[in-house]
């Protein structure tokens, strides 16, 4: 049977992601991968899970095994009201929705808001899986320029002035992929712009709790509550495998997020949500975040030092104060995908940065580095090998 012929036009137009092929190599034995984006398994609260499981069974019993509301498990939604307040997000129960990971919302928002050809304004670079989710709804993109401090408000304003934008999508803090953070002044300017242009903004915030130094910054949601859907997750501060994402949205949109979720999975796992509720209610978040920071901070510092020691003139990189990624920009003309192929021969993998741009002709000379799943020794070895690969590629280009 010709199964391909059965595919919906929408599905047939989807491309298998080239990055998947690259990352298959990254998973081969002996490879030091700076290419993934997983939290470190050492950061998971395995011990605590016994206690949480016990609490869930005692407190909720069969209710934790039962079908539940699409909006989310009540105790978790209520616990999230206080958690959101720590982010300056003023949430009421009816504004909080749970999904299977925050990824679930990126898809649901696409499904609810994007008609084929609609324009979404995104930072260049941006989160690859957000593009993948929105691509399924035939979104088009207007790219907002970024610099060392992330999204440039003037560029956002230009994009809004010159396009009919359905919504803006941004990751203001320790962005994936760049590790960059939008500073306070810019956040204020962005909140002002979206209110003036009366446009909706999706603030995707998985990483802000993982701050290793510097001051916490207010969310854009706290500055323009009516114009922002705040999307976050317990994946980076608890366990990604439980797939607990949440958002704070105006009810008029939340209603539709709920309707489309009913068609997808009725609701996210009640049991996992009950574990999430007990995790928040038990006061376990602050010590767990402290533990995660203790694991990640030395790795980030090791990577920054290794870059300083090994990368030649002509390269620059982000200096994040938290999160899981940093971003390297090489000289114009350098193709990081070619460097990738040299680096994997030295058993080091990373992700070429062009995959994070809506237009893959952009960001050819960039790469994303992840530091959470490697040791400090591996980081030193890997960055040295990477510097050699960069040098070899530069020689090849100069002799071509
Ligand atoms: C920016 C961003 N948004 C969303 C997600 C999805 O996270 P989850 O679905 O585990 O909540 C990630 C995961 O890496 C991410 O980096």
């Amino acid at each position: 049977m010709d199964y391909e012929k059965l595919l919906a036009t929408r599905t047939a137009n989807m491309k298998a992601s080239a990055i998947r092929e690259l990352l298959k190599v990254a998973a081969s034995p002996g490879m030091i991968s700076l290419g993934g984006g997983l939290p470190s398994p050492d950061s998971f609260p395995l011990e605590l899970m016994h206690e949480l499981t016990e609490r869930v069974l005692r407190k909720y019993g069969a209710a934790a095994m039962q079908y539940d509301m699409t909006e989310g498990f009540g105790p978790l939604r209520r616990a999230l009201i206080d958690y959101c307040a720590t982010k300056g997000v003023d949430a009421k129960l009816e504004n909080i929705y749970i999904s299977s990971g925050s990824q679930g919302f990126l898809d649901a928002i696409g499904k609810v808001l994007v008609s084929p050809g609609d324009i979404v304004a995104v930072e260049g670079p941006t989160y690859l899986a957000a593009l993948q989710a929105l691509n399924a709804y035939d979104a088009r993109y207007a790219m907002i320029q970024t610099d060392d401090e992330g999204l440039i408000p003037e560029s956002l304003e230009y994009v809004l002035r010159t396009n009919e934008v359905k919504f803006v999508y941004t990751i203001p803090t320790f962005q994936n992929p760049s590790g960059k953070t939008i500073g306070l002044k810019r956040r204020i300017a962005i909140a002002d712009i979206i209110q003036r242009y009366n446009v909706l903004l999706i603030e995707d915030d998985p990483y802000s709790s993982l701050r290793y130094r510097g001051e916490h910054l207010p969310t854009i949601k706290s500055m323009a509550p009516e114009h922002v859907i705040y999307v976050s997750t317990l994946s980076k501060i608890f366990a990604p495998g439980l797939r607990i994402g949440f958002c704070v949205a105006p009810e008029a949109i939340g209603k539709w997020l709920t309707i489309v979720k009913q068609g997808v999975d009725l609701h996210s796992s009640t049991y996992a949500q009950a574990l999430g509720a007990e995790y928040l209610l038990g006061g376990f978040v602050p010590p767990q975040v402290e533990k995660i920071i203790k694991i990640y901070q030395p790795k980030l510092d090791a990577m920054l030092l290794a870059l300083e020691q090994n990368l030649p003139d002509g390269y620059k990189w982000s200096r994040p104060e938290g999160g899981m990624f940093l971003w390297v920009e090489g000289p114009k003309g350098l193709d990081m995908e070619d460097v990738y192929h040299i680096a994997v021969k030295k058993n080091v993998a990373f992700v070429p940065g062009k995959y994070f741009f809506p237009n893959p002709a952009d960001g050819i000379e960039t790469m994303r580095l992840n530091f959470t799943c490697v040791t400090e020794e591996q980081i030193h070895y890997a960055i040295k090998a990477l510097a050699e690969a960069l040098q070899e590629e530069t020689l090849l280009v100069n002799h071509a």
Side-chain angles (χ1 to χ4, degrees):
M1 194 169 182
D2 183 359
Y3 297 111
E4 294 289 313
K5 257 174 81 178
L6 296 177
L7 295 178
T9 326
R10 177 181 69 250
T11 314
N13 286 343
M14 287 179 187
K15 282 185 226 82
S17 143
I19 199 176
R20 252 175 216 287
E21 295 307 310
L22 284 187
L23 289 177
K24 264 188 209 157
V25 181
S28 46
M31 190 69 68
I32 302 177
S33 180
L34 312 176
L38 305 184
S40 164
D42 297 340
S43 74
F44 300 150
L46 290 186
E47 285 298 306
L48 184 60
M49 290 312 288
H50 295 288
E51 159 90 27
L52 294 177
T53 303
E54 160 73 20
R55 285 184 187 215
V56 164
L57 295 178
R58 202 168 357 103
K59 199 160 157 186
Y60 307 111
M65 314 285 153
Q66 186 56 284
Y67 283 117
D68 200 60
M69 283 172 69
T70 307
E71 287 84 346
F73 187 57
L76 175 62
R77 292 173 79 205
R78 283 191 288 279
L80 281 167
I81 294 177
D82 286 343
Y83 179 76
C84 286
T86 68
K87 305 280 177 194
V89 174
D90 182 17
K92 300 201 173 41
L93 187 64
E94 58 270 25
N95 301 124
I96 297 186
Y97 303 87
I98 311 291
S99 187
S100 303
S102 48
Q103 190 66 37
F105 283 121
L106 300 180
D107 175 68
I109 288 168
K111 205 178 226 173
V112 169
L113 298 182
V114 177
S115 299
D118 277 354
I119 298 176
V120 179
V122 298
E123 295 151 327
T126 188
Y127 175 49
L128 178 64
L131 295 177
Q132 282 171 332
L134 298 174
N135 285 347
Y137 302 102
D138 289 328
R140 289 184 297 144
Y141 303 99
M143 195 181 93
I144 312 163
Q145 301 293 332
T146 61
D147 62 11
D148 292 347
E149 233 197 279
L151 184 157
I152 301 170
E154 291 74 17
S155 173
L156 168 64
E157 183 150 12
Y158 176 77
V159 163
L160 294 179
R161 203 169 48 236
T162 51
N163 295 275
E164 199 165 315
V165 166
K166 203 58 178 290
F167 60 84
V168 180
Y169 170 75
T170 174
I171 308 142
T173 311
F174 313 136
Q175 198 226 31
N176 179 6
S178 70
K180 293 174 186 174
T181 293
I182 302 173
L184 180 60
K185 259 184 154 163
R186 285 192 179 187
R187 287 176 192 236
I188 295 169
I190 293 166
D192 173 56
I193 293 166
I194 57 170
Q195 289 176 109
R196 267 195 290 118
Y197 282 78
N198 199 23
V199 69
L200 183 71
L201 180 143
I202 314 300
E203 178 172 22
D204 189 2
D205 184 29
Y207 301 109
S208 65
S209 296
L210 303 182
R211 175 173 278 284
Y212 316 140
R213 55 180 74 86
E215 296 289 316
H216 283 284
L217 289 162
T219 52
I220 301 173
K221 173 75 174 170
S222 67
M223 300 174 182
E226 294 297 311
H227 287 80
V228 177
I229 298 181
Y230 179 76
V231 178
S232 189
T233 178
L234 299 190
S235 288
K236 319 296 173 177
I237 59 165
F238 187 23
L242 294 174
R243 310 305 301 128
I244 305 170
F246 60 95
C247 85
V248 181
E251 246 185 305
I253 288 186
K255 174 181 88 179
W256 292 106
L257 296 175
T258 305
I259 290 171
V260 300
K261 185 170 171 62
Q262 275 163 359
V264 173
D265 59 1
L266 298 181
H267 63 81
S268 298
S269 157
T270 318
Y271 188 67
Q273 292 184 72
L275 288 168
E278 290 309 298
Y279 178 63
L280 295 179
L281 291 169
F284 298 115
V285 177
Q288 178 61 17
V289 165
E290 207 174 301
K291 176 185 143 183
I292 300 172
I293 289 174
K294 275 206 184 105
I295 297 171
Y296 292 168
Q297 181 171 14
K299 294 177 195 276
L300 169 61
D301 290 345
M303 191 169 274
L304 287 169
L305 179 67
L307 288 167
E308 197 72 58
Q309 288 171 337
N310 291 286
L311 288 207
D313 287 348
Y315 287 83
K316 62 186 234 178
W317 53 92
S318 58
R319 290 175 170 74
E321 295 187 326
M324 294 176 36
F325 304 101
L326 55 78
W327 186 250
V328 178
E329 284 172 59
K332 285 268 174 236
L334 183 82
D335 188 339
M336 278 303 178
E337 190 149 345
D338 291 343
V339 177
Y340 176 88
H341 292 295
I342 302 176
V344 290
K345 291 201 187 105
K346 300 175 189 290
N347 281 331
V348 175
F350 60 88
V351 188
K354 68 178 179 189
Y355 293 107
F356 301 101
F357 287 82
N359 171 8
D362 291 327
I364 302 291
E365 69 288 348
T366 62
M367 68 168 118
R368 185 189 76 175
L369 300 177
N370 163 258
F371 51 83
T372 51
C373 288
V374 279
T375 65
E376 288 166 55
E377 293 80 64
Q378 286 175 321
I379 288 170
H380 280 288
Y381 171 85
I383 299 296
K384 214 160 160 236
L386 207 54
E388 286 165 14
L390 289 167
Q391 210 154 22
E392 284 171 36
E393 172 62 15
T394 312
L395 284 177
L396 282 176
V397 171
N398 289 345
H399 284 92

